[in-house]
Amino acid sequence: MASAEVSGAISTLESASTPQPNRASGYNELLNKIVTSSTPSQLSPNLTAFLNSILGDTLGIVASRPLLASFVQSLKSIPRADVKIEVGQHALEILHPRVVSYEEQDALIREILADAYEEQEDYIDSAKVLQGIQLDSSQRSISDDTKVKIWIRIVRLYLEVDDTTGAESYLNRAKNLLYKVEDQEVKLMFALSQARILDARRKFLDASQVYHNFSFSSVLAEEERIKALSAAIVCSVLAPAGPQRARSLARLYKDERAQQVEEFSILEKMFLDRLLSTTEVDKFAANLAPHQLAITADGSTVLAKAVIEHNLLSASRLYNNIGVEQLGTLLGLDKDKAEEYAARMIEQGRLVGRIDQIDGLIFFDSGEATGEKTNAGQADRVAGREMRKWDSNVQGLTEEVERCTTLLQNHYPDFVAANLIH
């Protein structure tokens, strides 16, 4: 409840005996006194009482608008987040039935309230408050830059709590107007938000590309560019093994700045197709975000799956063939799981090879994977390769026969003339 002094002053201002021209100055003086003189426990009730008065029946819309604008500025200057939240929520409730008349003030109060929620790390409520701002209004002109800024802020708030569904919804809205935006900082925030959503949705190759492009921005400080490069390397490492990831790793490895980041050692080993040890993987995992350590459908983590596939691809560079059981030992899996990983990668075109289930062997073939799915476990590719080998052997045999015939003709022409069948 408001203090007796403030309640008395409000009653005086609302009384019919107070001249209309004097009310505006009286309310402004009272507002200044409330902000500067109220005790911590009385500040919220006093501001609430003041707000109820200026939006009551005593003043009309024309008189109340400038007073409400002053109130908004005073509320913004208050350092206490709890006061802003309490008073701001009450203000929105009062303004709701008549928001058409006070759209600009409603938007400013929502931004103040969003700042207060964010200060208290209540990101969901902060995003919801911002969603209530009328951006398609006929009462006031709102620039495309302002709209995109608000949407990007909502996206970033949702990403703070890993709500990629809510974030992507507003990112798509911003995408439709991004070509009209001239503010480079807004465009950068859009790119960063897009990368974070792709990262959270485990579209690591796409996220790596966006992070890498982001790292070249001249607007950012050098430290921020290196962080973006680091994020690009992390996403590339976590991506499924195959030709697409190989191209991504090559692009990052050739970046001269890559040696400055902590993840360079694992990037180098993956680029050079070297096997990764458990110690190296554990060191890398220590700096990953929670969603990058999430459990996948087969019970393994995103990182574990990426490492297994990488080591399997590395093994294919070292061996022409290997037993399924020995491969399982190399990958730290049982033989059935190792065979499952190999079969999936061969089927998806990320590994060139074939599996002999009768003898329990996996044959790795030379050449690069295409990254395209194959039919029947690469049966077509195997058949084509075997035919080419057969053709090559037949050609080699006929060439040897021809060579022998030529030698006989040169050394024993009489014998060839008597015995050679034409």
Side-chain angles (χ1 to χ4, degrees):
M1 187 173 179
S3 65
E5 185 180 359
V6 170
S7 297
I10 289 174
S11 298
T12 301
L13 290 169
E14 290 179 346
S15 67
S17 60
T18 303
Q20 189 72 24
N22 295 340
R23 285 182 178 174
S25 59
Y27 273 113
N28 282 323
E29 290 174 7
L30 176 59
L31 177 60
N32 183 59
K33 187 174 183 179
I34 289 173
V35 173
T36 56
S37 305
S38 294
T39 62
S41 60
Q42 287 293 323
L43 182 57
S44 291
N46 288 345
L47 286 172
T48 300
F50 178 87
L51 184 64
N52 290 338
S53 180
I54 64 173
L55 293 177
D57 299 329
T58 307
L59 299 173
I61 293 177
V62 175
S64 63
R65 271 182 183 162
L67 291 174
L68 182 58
S70 299
F71 171 84
V72 169
Q73 291 302 317
S74 297
L75 182 63
K76 187 176 182 179
S77 67
I78 294 171
R80 289 174 53 190
D82 58 325
V83 172
K84 290 179 179 178
I85 291 173
E86 184 179 348
V87 177
Q89 285 177 334
H90 182 72
L92 293 182
E93 289 174 7
I94 297 177
L95 290 174
H96 181 68
R98 55 188 110 172
V99 69
V100 176
S101 303
Y102 300 97
E103 279 189 2
E104 186 173 355
Q105 290 77 19
D106 178 81
L108 292 172
I109 290 172
R110 287 182 179 277
E111 289 181 9
I112 293 170
L113 199 51
D115 291 338
Y117 278 130
E118 191 172 352
E119 186 180 333
Q120 295 191 341
E121 299 184 358
D122 189 350
Y123 301 112
I124 291 294
D125 282 340
S126 181
K128 288 180 178 178
V129 166
L130 290 174
Q131 288 174 31
I133 296 177
Q134 300 292 327
L135 295 177
D136 298 318
S137 171
S138 59
Q139 304 295 319
R140 62 193 185 112
S141 176
I142 304 172
S143 67
D144 292 325
D145 278 32
T146 301
K147 291 179 182 179
V148 173
K149 280 181 182 178
I150 292 173
W151 287 332
I152 293 297
R153 185 178 178 185
I154 293 172
V155 169
R156 297 182 69 189
L157 289 168
Y158 274 125
L159 287 175
E160 290 293 335
V161 292
D162 293 327
D163 185 352
T164 55
T165 303
E168 190 167 22
S169 171
Y170 281 89
L171 188 77
N172 290 334
R173 296 189 189 189
K175 187 187 299 182
N176 294 330
L177 289 179
L178 193 65
Y179 70 96
K180 295 181 179 180
V181 174
E182 297 180 357
D183 191 328
Q184 289 301 315
E185 185 178 349
V186 174
K187 290 183 176 180
L188 285 174
M189 290 303 101
F190 175 87
L192 180 58
S193 299
Q194 185 180 41
R196 289 181 63 184
I197 289 174
L198 291 169
D199 185 356
R201 289 190 174 279
R202 301 179 193 170
K203 296 180 179 179
F204 293 119
L205 285 175
D206 293 335
S208 178
Q209 177 69 58
V210 177
Y211 275 130
H212 195 209
N213 292 339
F214 189 76
S215 72
F216 290 111
S217 174
S218 58
V219 178
L220 296 175
E222 180 64 21
E223 183 182 355
E224 294 300 318
R225 291 201 291 268
I226 294 300
K227 283 183 180 178
L229 177 62
S230 175
I233 293 173
V234 169
C235 287
S236 190
V237 167
L238 293 173
Q244 288 185 319
R245 191 191 69 162
R247 288 191 288 271
S248 177
L249 291 172
R251 184 176 63 253
L252 292 166
Y253 183 73
K254 292 173 183 177
D255 192 318
E256 295 178 353
R257 304 168 299 163
Q259 297 183 26
Q260 301 177 37
V261 303
E262 188 177 350
E263 296 82 7
F264 178 73
S265 60
I266 196 168
L267 168 66
E268 184 176 39
K269 285 204 165 186
M270 282 197 159
F271 173 70
L272 298 175
D273 289 326
R274 295 174 182 170
L275 293 171
L276 297 173
S277 67
T278 304
T279 305
E280 291 169 322
V281 174
D282 290 344
K283 182 181 177 182
F284 176 75
N287 297 322
L288 295 183
H291 73 271
Q292 294 171 333
L293 295 170
I295 304 297
T296 59
D298 62 1
S300 62
T301 64
V302 175
L303 175 61
K305 189 174 181 179
V307 170
I308 290 169
E309 290 183 349
H310 166 76
N311 283 343
L312 179 52
L313 204 58
S314 298
S316 73
R317 303 284 193 268
L318 295 173
Y319 302 99
N320 289 326
N321 58 72
I322 188 173
V324 174
E325 192 168 342
Q326 287 73 28
L327 180 63
T329 302
L330 185 66
L331 300 177
L333 303 170
D334 60 60
K335 63 178 184 179
D336 292 336
K337 204 71 175 176
E339 183 179 338
E340 182 184 330
Y341 268 94
R344 185 189 305 117
M345 291 182 68
I346 291 172
E347 180 190 2
Q348 294 174 349
R350 295 189 284 132
L351 179 67
V352 183
R354 54 194 171 90
I355 300 175
D356 184 340
Q357 291 182 313
I358 296 175
D359 294 333
L361 293 172
I362 298 178
F363 293 88
F364 301 116
D365 302 319
S366 60
E368 291 297 324
T370 63
E372 297 178 358
K373 287 190 176 182
T374 58
N375 297 323
Q378 293 212 0
D380 293 341
R381 177 178 295 181
V382 171
R385 185 184 61 257
E386 293 299 327
M387 287 298 294
R388 287 193 296 274
K389 283 184 179 179
W390 177 266
D391 290 344
S392 178
N393 290 337
V394 170
Q395 181 181 352
L397 177 60
T398 54
E399 287 175 352
E400 285 298 316
V401 171
E402 180 67 24
R403 190 173 68 84
C404 290
T405 303
T406 302
L407 288 172
L408 285 171
Q409 284 179 330
N410 292 337
H411 291 84
Y412 306 102
D414 295 338
F415 174 81
V416 171
N419 296 281
L420 184 63
I421 300 174
H422 295 282

